[in-house]
Amino acid sequence: MAIKEWDLMKKTILRRALLAAAISTASSGALAAGFGLQETSVTGLGRAFAAENTVGDNAAILGRNPAGSALFDKITLSGGAIYVNPEIDAAGDVTFFTPQGSFSFSDKDDDYASSAWVPNAYLAVPINPCWSFGLAMYSNYGLETDFKDDFLVSHIANKTELTTVNIAPSVAYEFNNQFSIGLAANFLYADATLNTTIPKNLPIAPQLGGLKVLDLDGDDWDVSWTLGALWNINDRTRVGFSYHAELDPELDGDVSSDLIPGINGQPLNNTKGQLTLDLPDTAELGFYHKFNQNWGLALGAMWTDWSDFQRLEAYLPDQKFGVDPEPYNPLLLKEENFESGWRYSIAGEYYPCEEVTWRIGYAYDQGAARDGLNPAGVEDAANTIGVALPVTWRTLSIPDTDRQWVTFGGSYKFDQHLSIDGGFAYLWGDDETIQEFTDVPVPTYFDGKTTNIEAWLAGVSVNYQF
């Protein structure tokens, strides 16, 4: 096969298929900015995660701030799970461009983001009046999307899944009962799976229906750190700050396809593949104030540096042709060009008695996907069909948009040792225009939008203090 043909493969099949494998799982399932998860605790869920790095009503603060273990004078355990039930619908016109002309069809896919449980577990251990130890286990990125097999653009986005687990041991030091600092090591495990196929019953080429564009399965561990601090201004007011450093796991796995030829001229079959995923650093500021025995206020602001996520590049190390440039090494998958953004939250707490706490919260979460057109996508369309079609940065796999949260929750304390928490949330986002182009298996253009972006979340957790 000529190098020019290999370059064509580079610009089409692998770019969009591997892109979906790496990142589409996280944003749709959790409806967080970019493809991040907020769901680190059930008590936080009830407050819309306002001041989640500051309040410290149980050991789950360790998911946001390693200094939080300094708040406990006894060994404390917290564990729970949040059920995320998203609904994302999309509809639009699909146009196929062939030598015989263009053919347009209308199509839609409803509820293509899968539901999931997001578990968490935390341990805070005081060592002496100054030092304490913490251990946090939670997920901060992950989602699953599953388009129907006959969706006319399933060769752009079909079945994808991303799962992460972060294990974070930490230590904290407290100064004079007023200031505390903490440091955590983050051990992140990431696993990604993708299945992308040509739509069943493809109108213009039914014989191609069901063929694999790409199967990819890869995983990796990465290590990072978190720094946190707490300032107890008085016995009713606390300020917290935490910074989570970026992560960049290199997903190693196998790549297979019915369409993509390898160095031997045969379709790829369990070929080694590598893709580095740039996960952003975050900074969070929280404020908590208890007005009296009955009322409290929590305020939070979180900045996420999504601007680090500019592009994806993949490598197929066993597919080297000895030419310059190598078509697969590196392989530019996509210029994503995310924007950094803020999440703002506010919550109130009501304490009718010593055993009961009620929470209500609101949050506004800025999306990471950039508005406007993707010049590279427009250029691809122009080079392929001679028409510069509008192609958006926002995609079906990552229909990212600004979101709003309204939440409610509560806790019940059985005794000085045992308590339980419950939380509920509803969030929604604006419908957004999505325009995508690919030329596999034939030039295809999707011109549509999301018609519904919302999610319901519910969680329960248990806390025990020895």
Side-chain angles (χ1 to χ4, degrees):
M1 179 175 287
I3 296 301
K4 183 177 180 180
E5 294 174 296
W6 285 113
D7 188 61
L8 178 60
M9 289 289 185
K10 175 181 69 175
K11 292 182 178 179
T12 55
I13 301 175
L14 286 177
R15 182 176 62 198
R16 288 177 173 84
L18 287 176
L19 170 70
I23 57 180
S24 68
T25 46
S27 67
S28 301
L31 289 174
F35 44 94
L37 292 175
Q38 290 288 332
E39 293 81 4
T40 54
S41 81
V42 175
T43 48
L45 179 65
R47 286 190 298 265
F49 302 100
E52 183 64 4
N53 70 337
T54 306
V55 178
D57 26 28
N58 53 53
I61 188 177
L62 293 170
R64 300 296 186 101
N65 191 339
S69 60
L71 297 174
F72 304 95
D73 57 7
K74 297 179 181 179
I75 297 175
T76 303
L77 286 167
S78 295
I82 296 174
Y83 181 69
V84 183
N85 182 20
E87 181 170 340
I88 302 179
D89 306 333
D93 296 325
V94 181
T95 302
F96 300 98
F97 299 88
T98 72
Q100 291 75 36
S102 60
F103 302 88
S104 295
F105 306 86
S106 295
D107 202 2
K108 66 176 183 177
D109 199 349
D110 296 333
D111 198 14
Y112 66 79
S114 303
S115 302
W117 286 95
V118 183
N120 59 75
Y122 305 94
L123 169 67
V125 180
I127 300 173
N128 58 43
C130 294
W131 290 94
S132 58
F133 169 81
L135 180 64
M137 293 180 287
Y138 59 97
S139 178
N140 44 0
Y141 300 95
L143 99 134
E144 182 178 356
T145 56
D146 191 4
F147 292 85
K148 60 186 182 183
D149 291 337
D150 59 354
F151 189 40
L152 291 180
V153 286
S154 67
H155 48 307
I156 295 177
N158 195 354
K159 170 77 173 181
T160 54
E161 184 176 1
L162 176 68
T163 302
T164 66
V165 178
N166 191 46
I167 302 173
S170 61
V171 293
Y173 184 82
E174 184 178 34
F175 303 87
N176 60 33
N177 296 319
Q178 189 172 20
F179 297 98
S180 58
I181 59 172
L183 178 66
N186 297 310
F187 299 92
L188 179 84
Y189 174 75
D191 181 271
T193 301
L194 163 77
N195 174 254
T196 305
T197 60
I198 295 176
K200 289 184 177 180
N201 304 318
L202 184 66
I204 60 171
Q207 71 277 11
L208 297 178
L211 290 179
K212 291 187 300 184
V213 177
L214 195 75
D215 275 347
L216 182 147
D217 187 5
D219 62 355
D220 188 33
W221 285 89
D222 195 30
V223 179
S224 183
W225 54 273
T226 300
L227 181 67
L230 289 170
W231 176 24
N232 296 306
I233 299 175
N234 54 48
D235 59 355
R236 290 187 175 184
T237 307
R238 181 181 302 136
V239 174
F241 175 80
S242 53
Y243 174 80
H244 291 245
E246 62 186 31
L247 291 143
D248 54 355
E250 183 179 276
L251 304 180
D252 295 320
D254 299 321
V255 179
S256 298
S257 175
D258 291 330
L259 299 175
I260 304 172
I263 195 170
N264 60 1
Q266 300 299 313
L268 296 177
N269 184 23
N270 292 327
T271 296
K272 183 179 180 181
Q274 299 174 344
L275 184 146
T276 298
L277 186 59
D278 293 321
L279 303 178
D281 52 330
T282 64
E284 184 174 8
L285 180 65
F287 173 84
Y288 174 70
H289 178 69
K290 192 172 182 178
F291 294 102
N292 51 45
Q293 292 183 346
N294 296 112
W295 295 96
L297 173 70
L299 302 172
M302 174 184 283
W303 173 79
T304 303
D305 190 17
W306 284 113
S307 63
D308 286 344
F309 191 73
Q310 292 295 305
R311 64 183 59 84
L312 285 173
E313 288 184 333
Y315 290 81
L316 303 183
D318 295 336
Q319 303 295 317
K320 294 184 178 180
F321 296 86
V323 296
D324 188 17
E326 284 281 354
Y328 292 164
N329 294 281
L331 178 67
L332 178 63
L333 306 180
K334 188 173 183 180
E335 296 283 349
E336 190 61 40
N337 200 24
F338 270 14
E339 293 182 304
S340 298
W342 287 89
R343 184 182 192 276
Y344 305 99
S345 51
I346 182 172
E349 292 192 330
Y350 176 59
Y351 323 104
C353 60
E354 184 179 354
E355 294 83 10
V356 177
T357 300
W358 295 111
R359 303 177 181 92
I360 188 170
Y362 170 82
Y364 182 81
D365 196 356
Q366 294 179 341
R370 191 177 293 271
D371 293 330
L373 300 182
N374 178 353
V378 175
E379 183 180 359
D380 278 351
N383 291 339
T384 303
I385 63 173
V387 179
L389 297 171
V391 176
T392 57
W393 289 109
R394 190 172 285 105
T395 65
L396 285 167
S397 293
I398 310 182
D400 196 28
T401 183
D402 294 349
R403 288 153 305 280
Q404 299 184 70
W405 300 56
V406 290
T407 68
F408 174 78
S411 296
Y412 182 80
K413 186 177 180 181
F414 292 94
D415 53 37
Q416 61 180 345
H417 301 291
L418 180 65
S419 64
I420 60 172
D421 315 300
F424 304 90
Y426 174 72
L427 55 144
W428 69 96
D430 295 333
D431 293 336
E432 298 284 359
T433 297
I434 297 177
Q435 296 165 312
E436 292 198 69
F437 177 83
T438 184
D439 51 8
V440 177
V442 297
T444 306
Y445 183 61
F446 177 81
D447 184 6
K449 65 177 183 178
T450 55
T451 57
N452 184 44
I453 296 180
E454 63 179 359
W456 291 92
L457 297 85
V460 62
S461 62
V462 178
N463 315 291
Y464 191 85
Q465 189 171 74
F466 292 88

